[in-house]
Amino acid sequence: ILNPTNSLVEANHDAEFGCTLKELRSLMELRGAEAISKLGESYGDTQGLCNRLKTSPADGLSGQPADLEKRKTAFGENLIPPKKPKTFLQLVWEALQDVTLIILEVAAIVSLGLSFYRPPEAERENCGKAAGGVEDEHESEAGWIEGAAILLSVICVVLVTAFNDWSKEKQFRGLQSRIEQEQKFTVVRGGQVIQIPVAEIVVGDVAQIKYGDLLPADGVLIQGNDLKIDESSLTGESDHVKKTQEKDPMLLSGTHVMEGSGKMVVTAVGVNSQTGIIFTLLGVNEDDDEDEDEKKKEKEEKKKQRKTKAHDGAAMEMQPLNSDEGADAEEKKKSNLPKKEKSVLQGKLTKLAVQIGKAGLVMSAITVIILVVLFVVDTFWIQNLSWVKECTPIYIQFFVKFFIIGVTVLVVAVPEGLPLAVTISLAYSVKKMMKDNNLVRHLDACETMGNATAICSDKTGTLTMNRMTVVQAYIAEKHYKKVPEAENIPSNALELLILGIAVNCAYTSKIMSPEKEGGLPRQVGNKTECALLGFCNDLKRDYQTIRNEIPEEKLYKVYTFNSVRKSMSTVLKMADGSFRMFSKGASEILLKKCYKILTANGEPKVFRPRDRDDVVKKVIEPMASEGLRTICLGYRDFPATEGEPDWDNENDILSGLTCISVVGIEDPVRPEVPDAIKKCQRAGITVRMVTGDNINTARAIATKCGILLPGDDFICLEGKEFNRRIRNEKGEIEQERIDKIWPKLRVLARSSPTDKHTLVKGIIDSTVAEQRQVVAVTGDGTNDGPALKKADVGFAMGIAGTDVAKEASDIILTDDNFSSIVKAVMWGRNVYDSISKFLQFQLTVNVVAVIVAFTGACITQDSPLKAVQMLWVNLIMDTFASLALATEPPTESLLLRRPYGRNKPLISRTMMKNILGHGVYQLIIIFSLLFAGEQLFDIDNGRNAPLNAPPSEHYTIVFNTFVLMQLFNEINARKIHGERNVFEGIFNNLIFCSIVFGTFVIQIVIVQFGGKPFSCVALTIDQWLWCTFFGFSSLLWGQVISSIPTSRLKFLKTAGHGTQKEEIPDEELDELDDMEEIDHAERELRRGQILWFRGLNRIQTQMDVVSAFQSGTSFQGALRRQASNSSQQQHDVTNVSSPTHVAFSTTTPTAVSTASTTLGCECVFSFSA
């Protein structure tokens, strides 16, 4: 095979393999004819290439570890190295960037510095009353403690923040590696067909590829049947590319197999594969800090892009490098509408956080101003002192103290626990959903699921067990109600049947011996084909012996199954030069192609249309009405005398068949499905079934599942009829026509993938219902990709699903079971409720703490709650409470209510009642203690203490009572719908119990031993009992509040509504882009504070932008940052991290770009710039 020049070249290569990495890499860059000629001149042919790579096309690699290691060192591993995660120190540094914390640090340092300054004794008296009165040297020296304590608590907050970020990142990486491990690929090693994780594939492996695969590495085709590949992810061309050994044998990683099957020898893996090269170009491994000018260019590009997008869809073509979105580039070109709106919850939370932040800012500013004014008036006007140089440090110390108080009010007011609560709640849910067989690929899908109003489900494998068995057959003019004995079937009919099944089922489908003794045999591959192979075994015939005689290489031609053909055919070349073709497919389609049928003696006889109608009526319809899927098996002979037929003319080839048999395949309904569907319907979710089966089978299964109930006026349609009803005379789809159909539609049968997509899109875009429908879709096939992408939440099947479907989905059902979807709904609603619980608790604390600090400061010129105490309260209520309340497990009762919908406020009337009710109670108690505490407890008055005075019992009691009331109120916050029993299920949540208990213990330690840093004094036992009693009373008060009917309190307002869509002018969009206002993608902990602080700089802009804010366009900023992170993942998970499926409100023509396109294009720009 090798020509002499080659042998010379070969001699210079390293002795191991006959070709180098570089040669293979340059070979893979060629396409079509060029590639063929290069292959020819360098290697002779594919066999020559295999010899050079020391592998065998039939048996593959030996699989010896030593050999595999050598290959890994020579040609690299099949991994694209992920970007290094941020180190803990980097996260700490990021947490330190928080504006409030910086202000606090500065204030603390100033206060520290001043406390060490000792003014001369004599002049001290002249600096006014407030400064005097320090009797004890020892005490004035303790002035540094407050500054130090603030610094310490800042460090605590920073570490907690950084740790949360770190664990979030770690969880995310764990999830990702889990998804990567789950992705396996079939290779031949040592003559055995085995499945190995994608990362284990090495150069020289012989891989089997089939319909629905996402190719994990580059390779050259050794043998193929009717192979068509979607290369849009690399080339941007949406047409499927035919791959043959003669014309174009080059297969590239990251592309999708849309039809056919075959074998390839792997020639490049990991960073050397085509996708890997692109990833390297995108600078995955470099840092993502662009230069300023690059950013400017990017912005310009963005503007241009936006303009072109507003005019036409041409800009869509600019995404050749967007390697993860290939599955449906056509889909994108068709609709350059954004995919999904911002997740409902995030929209509401953002708005709320901004509102609260602004209020806090105003309050803290007023507090500082009042304190300063009071002090100045008192010192310089009432006491009539003049400003003396010696007193300056003392005055500054006062101002610093006021400033610290102001900042503390702000810290308490800003709910930075919100983003934390969301993250914790989602992360916790995601972790737990794993146990419920939901592998969540996009965090917010989990919460969107709680709002779902419709589920469009596949039938096969989701509602049914996907364990197909042949239970009825029509052979040789006889209808057998159960599988016949082999003796009863004419021998030649039986031979044809067995041969046809053996060769005309993909060789990847097989029946294996059961895993457990006495279990059912395992079905591997396509389940329908497995049913037919099982039918062979039931007839006591072995299909494997036939396959051994006719290996896959000997099949003359294969027309693989696809959604257009709805049949599969295999051609064999007989010994005498004639051809015989076996076909199988949907019975109503294939019977129309039959013109003969085998009779009782096994001879073919003419099969007229009249006979066909007979068979349909007497055989197919009765089978279908019992919920069986009917498959017709046929064959056709092409005599040698007529010469070779024209195989490309499919219509002629696939006609004139002889029908061998019609079989009825049963796929029993999963036992738990009817119950799950009942739960969905009770929860206000409509379940629709979309299937490729015929309408009778579909109706029968839908009735068994409870999707259709006897006596309902719901409709079942076939794909054809559905299309006829929704299109106008010109054949265009009209939304109002869809609106007439979907509310009543429950079953869509014989539907094509486009029908599924049309239906989903129709329901989502519909405006008939009072709320926008939130649609979940399940799918397993490659053809379900578009519908899964379009849906609000796409579920892919973990077992039966193809890579393409998983790639397009948001959640993977690892057990392919419908009842897992119900679990997802439960978790989704639970997330929503957890956030509401947290808000109810958080806002009560916020309102009370801010009012106490504010009024206390104004009346007594010092905040009753000191900075350090406030920070502790902040820690309890933000970090710990978000942990405790966000990890409440879901209960079945969540499924007893309707979905909330997009416009339901986060804070309902009932919650508002609770917040105000508890707020009033706590304020009454705190103020009574503050202004009358010394009489009640017979202790010294703590008000109006001089600077650096020792802590007083009085204020310690106030602080202690305040914290204990929060603790008990945390228990109240567990219920948000006005339930009476707040303890229900409390012991199911260990985290909650341990946090409440732990906080209580730490509180005791702080009060008894906290001393000066916490401004506390040890309390006596009866003072403790009083504090606890006040705290415990809030539980009793909670019962009083829940007795007041909410309906009476008309004056209560709700808060945190969904966002309305509005038009946004171009300039404001840019403004928003600059602000990168809210980066949900990262969900930074410090979101709330960043918001109000930026608000400070741009209060003006914010007023104009508030409207712009409400529609989620601020996402582009987030995406720009994400673009660099997300490209690092292997294809299968590229969009786990990037919110590619969260787009902007549909009415913004200026921002009409799918998030993913932005992602792709941005990478390209930053790279080219």
Side-chain angles (χ1 to χ4, degrees):
I1 296 171
L2 303 174
N3 49 23
T5 50
N6 246 11
S7 334
L8 293 174
V9 181
E10 196 180 348
N12 310 336
H13 284 256
D14 62 347
E16 287 299 327
F17 302 103
C19 41
T20 60
L21 181 60
K22 207 162 165 198
E23 286 175 12
L24 288 175
R25 214 167 131 160
S26 58
L27 172 70
M28 290 320 293
E29 278 162 14
L30 305 173
R31 304 275 176 280
E34 288 179 348
I36 298 272
S37 61
K38 175 88 166 109
L39 253 179
E41 63 193 49
S42 303
Y43 307 103
D45 60 2
T46 43
Q47 181 61 51
L49 178 62
C50 291
N51 293 348
R52 293 274 202 100
L53 288 172
K54 303 202 170 150
T55 179
S56 133
D59 297 340
L61 296 176
S62 61
Q64 245 111 51
D67 178 45
L68 297 179
E69 271 314 307
K70 264 187 215 153
R71 288 172 191 275
K72 279 183 186 168
T73 36
F75 301 110
E77 296 190 57
N78 197 19
L79 287 173
I80 291 175
K83 196 150 116 216
K84 286 201 294 293
K86 287 183 176 153
T87 59
F88 189 66
L89 285 175
Q90 277 169 311
L91 291 169
V92 168
W93 177 244
E94 275 179 20
L96 276 171
Q97 308 300 308
D98 186 344
V99 184
T100 5
L101 290 181
I102 291 175
I103 297 176
L104 268 180
E105 284 156 23
V106 172
I109 290 168
V110 173
S111 139
L112 259 181
L114 290 174
S115 65
F116 290 122
Y117 176 80
R118 302 246 60 74
E121 277 308 299
E123 282 86 22
R124 192 168 179 117
E125 300 306 313
N126 316 337
C127 298
K129 273 192 282 195
V134 178
E135 304 85 29
D136 194 350
E137 263 305 282
H138 167 72
E139 268 160 16
S140 59
E141 278 167 13
W144 62 272
I145 290 183
E146 183 169 37
I150 291 179
L151 281 181
L152 197 71
S153 34
V154 165
I155 292 171
C156 272
V157 172
V158 166
L159 288 177
V160 170
T161 308
F163 179 74
N164 276 313
D165 279 352
W166 178 78
S167 58
K168 186 170 76 183
E169 172 107 338
K170 200 173 103 200
Q171 245 171 351
F172 177 70
R173 283 186 187 268
L175 174 72
Q176 211 173 290
S177 62
R178 160 133 191 204
I179 292 179
E180 278 170 15
Q181 281 156 13
E182 298 222 327
Q183 201 194 355
K184 292 213 165 46
F185 210 76
T186 317
V187 297
V188 181
R189 281 195 184 164
Q192 293 293 313
V193 178
I194 56 168
Q195 285 208 319
I196 57 171
V198 167
E200 300 287 306
I201 292 175
V202 293
V203 171
D205 257 325
V206 173
Q208 286 196 347
I209 52 179
K210 59 177 190 312
Y211 159 79
D213 284 342
L214 178 123
L215 298 184
D218 293 356
V220 177
L221 189 66
I222 312 178
Q223 174 255 324
N225 308 319
D226 204 10
L227 197 59
K228 287 199 183 133
I229 306 269
D230 172 4
E231 292 190 350
S232 56
S233 56
L234 288 178
T235 60
E237 295 298 320
S238 57
D239 297 338
H240 297 170
V241 186
K242 244 186 123 120
K243 296 284 178 185
T244 55
Q245 279 168 282
E246 298 73 49
K247 297 223 176 72
D248 183 3
M250 297 309 194
L251 300 170
L252 307 173
S253 59
T255 57
H256 294 114
V257 183
M258 299 315 272
E259 270 184 46
S261 59
K263 276 186 186 170
M264 70 170 188
V265 58
V266 176
T267 54
V269 292
V271 279
N272 302 308
S273 66
Q274 291 302 298
T275 309
I277 293 171
I278 288 174
F279 272 136
T280 337
L281 283 181
L282 291 178
V284 175
N285 310 329
E286 284 113 66
D287 275 351
D288 43 56
D289 310 328
E290 300 99 339
D291 310 340
E292 283 307 300
D293 48 300
E294 230 168 274
K295 280 218 169 110
K296 275 189 202 119
K297 274 187 208 160
E298 220 171 332
K299 223 162 253 171
E300 288 309 303
E301 288 277 15
K302 228 184 199 166
K303 250 188 199 156
K304 272 185 228 153
Q305 223 178 307
R306 212 179 273 139
K307 293 214 168 69
T308 47
K309 278 194 185 110
H311 300 312
D312 61 0
M316 278 310 185
E317 298 293 303
M318 294 165 51
Q319 58 169 103
L321 285 183
N322 184 1
S323 60
D324 57 312
E325 292 299 323
D328 45 18
E330 303 149 70
E331 154 77 3
K332 277 198 201 106
K333 284 172 192 146
K334 273 186 240 135
S335 64
N336 57 359
L337 282 172
K339 175 153 193 267
K340 300 173 187 176
E341 291 158 37
K342 182 165 57 178
S343 115
V344 192
L345 189 62
Q346 288 172 0
K348 294 179 183 176
L349 278 178
T350 307
K351 241 178 125 178
L352 202 65
V354 176
Q355 290 163 347
I356 296 173
K358 282 183 184 162
L361 192 60
V362 172
M363 287 295 275
S364 61
I366 295 176
T367 313
V368 175
I369 293 168
I370 289 181
L371 284 169
V372 172
V373 169
L374 278 175
F375 173 75
V376 171
V377 168
D378 182 54
T379 310
F380 299 123
W381 199 45
I382 298 179
Q383 297 179 35
N384 223 340
L385 295 169
S386 56
W387 184 296
V388 203
K389 197 171 82 202
E390 285 80 42
C391 294
T392 308
I394 290 180
Y395 295 147
I396 291 180
Q397 223 164 331
F398 270 101
F399 291 138
V400 169
K401 179 178 156 190
F402 298 151
F403 186 61
I404 289 178
I405 292 171
V407 173
T408 322
V409 172
L410 181 61
V411 172
V412 176
V414 172
E416 66 273 42
L418 264 184
L420 179 65
V422 178
T423 310
I424 289 179
S425 183
L426 286 172
Y428 172 76
S429 306
V430 167
K431 213 167 164 177
K432 288 284 191 225
M433 282 167 81
M434 283 274 205
K435 293 202 176 78
D436 286 338
N437 304 310
N438 284 302
L439 179 71
V440 182
R441 294 184 64 222
H442 300 125
L443 270 183
D444 56 354
C446 161
E447 166 255 319
T448 313
M449 206 46 220
N451 287 321
T453 54
I455 297 176
C456 294
S457 171
D458 256 5
K459 177 181 77 75
T460 313
T462 316
L463 300 173
T464 57
M465 288 168 86
N466 205 5
R467 240 210 100 76
M468 311 256 191
T469 40
V470 173
V471 287
Q472 296 189 17
Y474 175 79
I475 304 181
E477 298 184 316
K478 190 158 181 220
H479 185 174
Y480 297 93
K481 290 284 185 178
K482 54 182 205 288
V483 177
E485 296 294 322
E487 297 77 67
N488 303 345
I489 303 173
S491 58
N492 61 340
L494 185 62
E495 290 314 309
L496 281 168
L497 180 69
I498 303 294
L499 178 63
I501 291 176
V503 297
N504 192 30
C505 285
Y507 279 38
T508 45
S509 303
K510 42 187 177 291
I511 305 261
M512 316 275 277
S513 51
E515 283 177 357
K516 292 195 207 67
E517 197 61 34
L520 292 166
R522 275 186 308 155
Q523 299 187 336
V524 182
N526 180 313
K527 298 294 194 256
T528 313
E529 296 184 335
C530 288
L532 294 170
L533 296 172
F535 183 43
C536 289
N537 292 349
D538 293 344
L539 292 170
K540 311 281 185 291
R541 295 285 186 281
D542 184 15
Y543 65 88
Q544 198 53 54
T545 46
I546 300 177
R547 286 187 172 184
N548 297 343
E549 283 164 28
I550 311 175
E552 206 168 356
E553 292 76 51
K554 283 200 188 160
L555 301 178
Y556 191 79
K557 175 144 189 67
V558 180
Y559 297 94
T560 49
F561 179 88
N562 64 22
S563 52
V564 182
R565 287 191 190 121
K566 290 222 185 286
S567 67
M568 171 176 174
S569 311
T570 303
V571 182
L572 298 177
K573 190 167 186 173
M574 310 308 264
D576 58 358
S578 64
F579 297 96
R580 173 170 288 175
M581 176 179 78
F582 289 100
S583 298
K584 68 172 192 303
S587 53
E588 57 265 53
I589 293 171
L590 223 55
L591 272 179
K592 291 195 181 104
K593 312 265 172 84
C594 293
Y595 81 126
K596 287 187 173 173
I597 190 165
L598 295 183
T599 57
N601 57 7
E603 293 308 312
K605 71 158 192 187
V606 180
F607 186 57
R608 286 186 295 280
R610 200 177 58 234
D611 305 331
R612 182 180 337 142
D613 297 342
D614 249 12
V615 170
V616 169
K617 267 205 190 58
K618 292 191 178 142
V619 180
I620 294 177
E621 281 178 5
M623 280 187 187
S625 61
E626 292 175 39
L628 303 185
R629 171 185 274 193
T630 54
I631 301 276
C632 172
L633 301 159
Y635 76 101
R636 175 180 180 184
D637 283 326
F638 300 95
T641 49
E642 290 176 15
E644 188 161 342
D646 170 15
W647 297 117
D648 290 337
N649 186 346
E650 274 183 51
N651 287 345
D652 285 1
I653 298 282
L654 201 63
S655 61
L657 300 174
T658 305
C659 171
I660 307 172
S661 161
V662 174
V663 294
I665 295 181
E666 182 188 40
D667 185 6
V669 171
R670 287 174 179 266
E672 61 280 353
V673 162
D675 194 35
I677 286 181
K678 222 184 246 104
K679 278 184 190 162
C680 281
Q681 288 162 341
R682 208 172 44 217
I685 303 169
T686 313
V687 183
R688 295 183 174 81
M689 180 164 106
V690 183
T691 172
D693 265 356
N694 77 33
I695 192 149
N696 298 330
T697 312
R699 194 180 281 123
I701 298 271
T703 315
K704 281 185 194 165
C705 292
I707 292 176
L708 292 174
L709 300 169
D712 287 345
D713 60 342
F714 296 130
I715 52 175
C716 304
L717 289 180
E718 282 202 331
K720 277 205 186 87
E721 173 64 10
F722 174 70
N723 270 309
R724 197 181 59 71
R725 288 200 196 181
I726 61 172
R727 291 172 194 276
N728 57 18
E729 298 71 56
K730 294 192 193 125
E732 294 155 347
I733 296 173
E734 284 185 2
Q735 184 63 42
E736 41 284 16
R737 289 175 182 238
I738 299 183
D739 289 346
K740 286 201 188 92
I741 296 177
W742 74 257
K744 289 255 185 249
L745 182 71
R746 287 295 177 274
V747 176
L748 186 58
R750 278 275 171 252
S751 69
S752 68
T754 17
D755 296 341
K756 192 170 187 176
H757 180 254
T758 311
L759 176 66
V760 172
K761 184 173 180 310
I763 297 179
I764 288 181
D765 296 346
S766 167
T767 47
V768 197
E770 62 274 15
Q771 296 192 342
R772 153 155 151 26
Q773 296 280 314
V774 178
V775 183
V777 169
T778 68
D780 53 3
T782 307
N783 45 18
D784 292 327
L788 287 170
K789 264 259 190 291
K790 177 68 194 159
D792 293 288
V793 182
F795 286 92
M797 301 296 140
I799 306 168
T802 58
D803 295 343
V804 181
K806 290 180 187 173
E807 183 66 28
S809 70
D810 301 307
I811 297 180
I812 296 174
L813 295 176
T814 48
D815 63 344
D816 290 15
N817 190 339
F818 187 82
S819 59
S820 304
I821 299 178
V822 181
K823 292 265 176 51
V825 172
M826 225 154 81
W827 278 107
R829 292 186 173 187
N830 191 49
V831 167
Y832 205 94
D833 278 9
S834 298
I835 302 301
S836 293
K837 289 173 192 175
F838 174 69
L839 270 175
Q840 175 174 309
F841 173 70
Q842 167 96 31
L843 291 180
T844 313
V845 187
N846 276 9
V847 169
V848 175
V850 171
I851 293 179
V852 166
F854 176 69
T855 41
C858 298
I859 299 173
T860 67
Q861 291 170 39
D862 182 8
S863 165
L865 296 173
K866 301 291 178 285
V868 180
Q869 296 176 349
M870 288 276 216
L871 284 168
W872 162 237
V873 170
N874 208 30
L875 198 69
I876 303 178
M877 62 187 201
D878 274 358
T879 315
F880 294 160
S882 59
L883 253 176
L885 290 168
T887 52
E888 286 275 299
T891 55
E892 289 279 329
S893 61
L894 286 169
L895 293 174
L896 298 177
R897 59 172 176 75
R898 325 274 309 156
Y900 277 151
R902 292 189 162 254
N903 309 339
K904 170 138 184 351
L906 264 178
I907 299 172
S908 60
R909 275 226 171 104
T910 316
M911 285 167 62
M912 210 45 141
K913 176 182 77 177
N914 292 343
I915 291 171
L916 293 178
H918 286 292
V920 168
Y921 167 77
Q922 294 187 8
L923 284 173
I924 293 172
I925 298 278
I926 294 283
F927 282 137
S928 326
L929 288 176
L930 192 57
F931 296 114
E934 65 271 26
Q935 285 99 351
L936 289 176
F937 286 106
D938 190 20
I939 45 178
D940 292 342
N941 176 3
R943 294 190 299 281
N944 301 327
L947 194 64
N948 296 334
S952 66
E953 264 181 293
H954 183 188
Y955 273 22
T956 308
I957 290 177
V958 173
F959 164 62
N960 200 19
T961 309
F962 180 69
V963 171
L964 290 177
M965 286 196 295
Q966 304 323 330
L967 268 186
F968 284 101
N969 194 29
E970 198 165 338
I971 300 173
N972 273 329
R974 289 184 67 243
K975 297 285 179 246
I976 48 174
H977 298 299
E979 295 92 331
R980 282 233 178 255
N981 180 4
V982 288
F983 290 102
E984 185 194 349
I986 193 164
F987 295 113
N988 298 346
N989 188 352
L990 280 175
I991 302 181
F992 184 87
C993 298
S994 45
I995 281 181
V996 170
F997 183 69
T999 315
F1000 190 62
V1001 172
I1002 300 175
Q1003 178 64 17
I1004 295 177
V1005 174
I1006 287 177
V1007 170
Q1008 297 303 88
F1009 311 105
K1012 184 80 200 216
F1014 280 97
S1015 320
C1016 286
V1017 182
L1019 298 179
T1020 62
I1021 194 83
D1022 40 342
Q1023 287 167 338
W1024 263 102
L1025 286 173
W1026 272 107
C1027 293
T1028 317
F1029 168 72
F1030 288 135
F1032 180 75
S1033 313
S1034 63
L1035 286 176
L1036 306 175
W1037 180 247
Q1039 295 300 316
V1040 176
I1041 295 178
S1042 54
S1043 313
I1044 306 171
T1046 315
S1047 48
R1048 290 281 170 79
L1049 308 170
K1050 285 278 180 281
F1051 62 89
L1052 286 179
K1053 291 277 180 287
T1054 54
H1057 289 268
T1059 48
Q1060 264 35 68
K1061 302 179 188 171
E1062 285 144 46
E1063 297 283 336
I1064 305 175
D1066 226 18
E1067 301 70 65
E1068 285 188 11
L1069 255 175
D1070 282 341
E1071 185 54 60
L1072 263 174
D1073 258 357
D1074 296 350
M1075 288 169 93
E1076 290 190 353
E1077 189 71 50
I1078 306 169
D1079 183 349
H1080 295 292
E1082 319 240 81
R1083 282 221 197 76
E1084 284 309 336
L1085 220 68
R1086 306 170 296 287
R1087 183 166 66 184
Q1089 288 141 321
I1090 293 172
L1091 286 176
W1092 58 256
F1093 199 76
R1094 286 194 177 151
L1096 256 182
N1097 317 349
R1098 305 184 180 210
I1099 276 205
Q1100 203 36 54
T1101 343
Q1102 240 178 16
M1103 297 305 152
D1104 325 353
V1105 171
V1106 157
S1107 63
F1109 213 160
Q1110 293 162 350
S1111 98
T1113 37
S1114 43
F1115 240 94
Q1116 292 212 346
L1119 277 169
R1120 179 171 336 138
R1121 244 175 274 164
Q1122 277 302 93
S1124 37
N1125 308 2
S1126 83
S1127 48
Q1128 77 220 28
Q1129 276 93 32
Q1130 282 244 0
H1131 327 296
D1132 194 34
V1133 286
T1134 311
N1135 23 13
V1136 182
S1137 67
S1138 55
T1140 26
H1141 66 326
V1142 187
F1144 326 121
S1145 77
T1146 28
T1147 50
T1148 348
T1150 43
V1152 182
S1153 71
T1154 41
S1156 49
T1157 317
T1158 322
L1159 226 164
C1161 299
E1162 303 238 89
C1163 301
V1164 181
F1165 298 146
S1166 49
F1167 155 62
S1168 57

